[in-house]
Structures are given as C-alpha cells and as structure tokens.
Amino acid sequence: MGTTTDIPSEIGTSELVRDAYELLASKHDGQRQKVNGHPYVEHPIAVATDVSEAGFEPEMVAAALVHDIVEDSDVTVEDVRERFGDRVATLVDAMTDTSEVKPYERRKALHRERVVAAGPDAAAIFAADKLNNVRALRSAYAEDGEAVASRFVQPLDTKLRVWVAASRWSPAMRPPFPTPRCSRARSPAWRPIGSVVVEAEAALVVLEADAAQQR
C-alpha cells in the first residue's frame, strides 16, 4: 500500500499528490475504520477522490489525502507545512479536530467554526469528509443495523445530530460554492462541491429513517 504504483488514478498523479499518498499510506498503515473495520486509508482516498473529481487542483487533493494525519499520527501541522507548503498545512490544520474540548457536540461545533474561518476550500474538503462518513455509516447500518452503534464512543443519535448540523451549518456550504482554480472547472467533468453537500443531506435523511425503523 505504500508505493506510488498503488496510487488510485482518480486522485491524479502529480508529484504533490504522490507525496501525500505516500505519507498517508505510511502513517495510517494498520489503522482501521471504526464504522466497518476496513483499512483506514480507504476513507481519505475516498475524500480525495471526491475533491479531485470536483475539479480541484493538486494542493486540494493532497490536503484531502492527509486531512486526518495530524489527528491520527505523530505528524504535526509544521511537518505538513515543511513537506507540502503553507496552503496544504492551513487546510489540514482547519480539518484537525481536538479531543480536548468537551462535550462532544460543543467540540464539533467549534470545529465547524474553524472550518468556516479557514474559507471555502476547507469547507469543500470538510463536505467531502462528512459525505464519506455518511456513506460508510449508511452502508454499515444497512448490513449490521443497530450493532453499528457499539463501534463508536458516542451514541449513534449524537453522531447523527452532529452530521445533520454539519450539512446545514453555514452559508459557506451554500451557493456560491468555491470555484476550482484549474482548467477542469470548465470541462464536463466539473462537479460543483454543492452536489457533495446535497448528496450528504440526502444520505442523512435515509440514514435517519433507517435508524427510526430499527427502534
């Protein structure tokens, strides 16, 4: 998993993206997702794929790949800055949550405020992150039902409230959406990040309905 030959074509092949992928593969190696037990690297790759397919440039894709690396490894924001530059480091810093703030829902609210303050690029990665969290939970819930709840520290209802809040949180997630700075923004492949938000909200509606049926 740690070589550039493994890099998914969907996220691009720029030197910056390759470097971010190698760091991701090494620092998340052996980690598993709580929701489904899959290799953790699948999550940031999925987030980066959404960001790339939306037409964003390599710096954004690189930031999406390593958006959890400060939270989940010994890598610091300064390490990211030295390796990838100021922009990637700023985005990763905005995406980094802290477990020091209590209670959980307050912590998540403060994190959303930090993402808003960081600007629309951070909001785009945040949206793709939450979308993929919802997708993974939706899939696991469909397969295992309420048993999924035991895999998290927080009650499932609490996580749902946080994700609903994340999908409705700010004008930063509403039109006008951030415009990629690369030429693909003018091509048929351009997918506005707004569609990510809409898909996340739709998935949450289904997930809430599933949870209600299970009770």
Side-chain angles (χ1 to χ4, degrees):
M1 184 67 191
T3 67
T4 55
T5 57
D6 299 320
I7 189 169
S9 60
E10 294 84 357
I11 62 175
T13 57
S14 74
E15 183 177 350
L16 186 70
V17 170
R18 285 176 177 270
D19 195 18
Y21 181 81
E22 294 229 343
L23 182 63
L24 158 74
S26 65
K27 293 299 182 179
H28 287 298
D29 186 40
Q31 295 178 358
R32 295 279 171 175
Q33 298 178 57
K34 291 179 182 178
V35 67
N36 53 24
H38 293 183
Y40 193 82
V41 294
E42 292 180 3
H43 169 71
I45 289 170
V47 173
T49 298
D50 278 332
V51 169
S52 178
E53 290 181 349
F56 287 95
E57 67 278 15
E59 281 183 311
M60 282 281 285
V61 178
L65 279 171
V66 297
H67 74 271
D68 279 337
I69 208 143
V70 172
E71 280 185 39
D72 297 335
S73 78
D74 57 356
V75 175
T76 67
V77 172
E78 288 311 309
D79 292 334
V80 174
R81 192 181 313 280
E82 182 176 346
R83 186 162 178 169
F84 301 106
D86 287 341
R87 187 176 178 219
V88 174
T90 297
L91 291 167
V92 171
D93 189 31
M95 288 296 298
T96 301
D97 197 5
T98 174
S99 60
E100 297 172 0
V101 177
K102 307 293 183 183
Y104 176 80
E105 289 185 68
R106 174 60 177 160
R107 180 180 112 205
K108 294 301 183 180
L110 290 174
H111 187 207
R112 291 194 296 271
E113 291 174 8
R114 289 182 54 229
V115 172
V116 171
D121 285 348
I125 296 174
F126 185 88
D129 177 43
K130 299 312 167 193
L131 169 60
N132 281 283
N133 285 340
V134 171
R135 284 173 178 161
L137 182 55
R138 166 69 174 147
S139 177
Y141 202 95
E143 184 173 338
D144 299 322
E146 288 291 314
V148 172
S150 65
R151 301 169 192 170
F152 299 103
V153 174
Q154 299 297 325
L156 192 55
D157 285 350
T158 300
K159 294 190 75 67
L160 284 172
R161 283 198 303 272
V162 166
W163 287 345
V164 169
S167 74
R168 302 168 183 165
W169 60 317
S170 161
M173 300 288 278
R174 301 296 171 201
F177 295 107
T179 301
R181 288 185 279 275
C182 65
S183 60
R184 280 168 47 189
R186 295 186 294 275
S187 77
W190 159 237
R191 177 184 178 216
I193 203 65
S195 65
V196 172
V197 180
V198 171
E199 184 178 346
E201 289 182 333
L204 278 165
V205 169
V206 175
L207 190 59
E208 288 180 299
D210 284 349
Q213 289 177 0
Q214 290 282 339
R215 295 187 187 106

